Amino acid sequence: MKTRYDEIKEQVKKFHKAHPEIWVLFKKFAFEKIKQGLNNYGAKNIIERIRWETDKPNEKGDGTFKINNNYHPFYARAFMKQFPEHKGFFRTREQISMKQPAT
């Protein structure tokens, strides 16, 4: 049975494929905080910084960069999986979407 988690994970993979530069920035900003001596930090804060650093106005003056707030836990877990020496840098919770039916 497909879950809400499965749906979000598919969306994250599609987004990542279309925007690999986000992963580069996520790692860069996470390592900046690690080098500053922090033991943990918020993945959502890093996503917000990426929004700040990359958003450009369109012809109406509206921001054009969009990233779903549901994606930051996936980036946090991917970071700690790729860099196991930093396991726990991002505090994670149980992903309740694993127990929710797909939409």
Side-chain angles (χ1 to χ4, degrees), residues 37-102:
L38 291 172
N39 293 321
N40 52 57
Y41 198 70
K44 190 171 183 179
N45 292 344
I46 291 178
I47 294 297
E48 292 296 342
R49 181 171 176 196
I50 293 170
R51 284 181 173 136
W52 175 268
E53 299 282 345
T54 62
D55 202 10
K56 305 279 189 276
N58 63 15
E59 61 280 349
K60 296 179 188 176
D62 297 326
T64 57
F65 179 75
K66 306 289 184 221
I67 181 170
N68 190 308
N69 284 333
N70 293 332
Y71 296 177
H72 75 270
F74 290 87
Y75 278 90
R77 284 178 172 85
F79 180 88
M80 292 186 295
K81 185 176 181 179
Q82 185 172 353
F83 305 102
E85 66 273 24
H86 298 296
K87 183 178 180 182
F89 183 69
F90 296 108
R91 294 182 179 148
T92 58
R93 298 180 183 165
E94 177 186 7
Q95 290 180 289
I96 58 172
S97 59
M98 289 180 165
K99 298 176 183 175
Q100 297 173 333

Side-chain angles (χ1 to χ4, degrees), residues 18 22-23 36 73 90:
I22 300 308
W23 179 237
Q36 289 175 1
F90 296 108

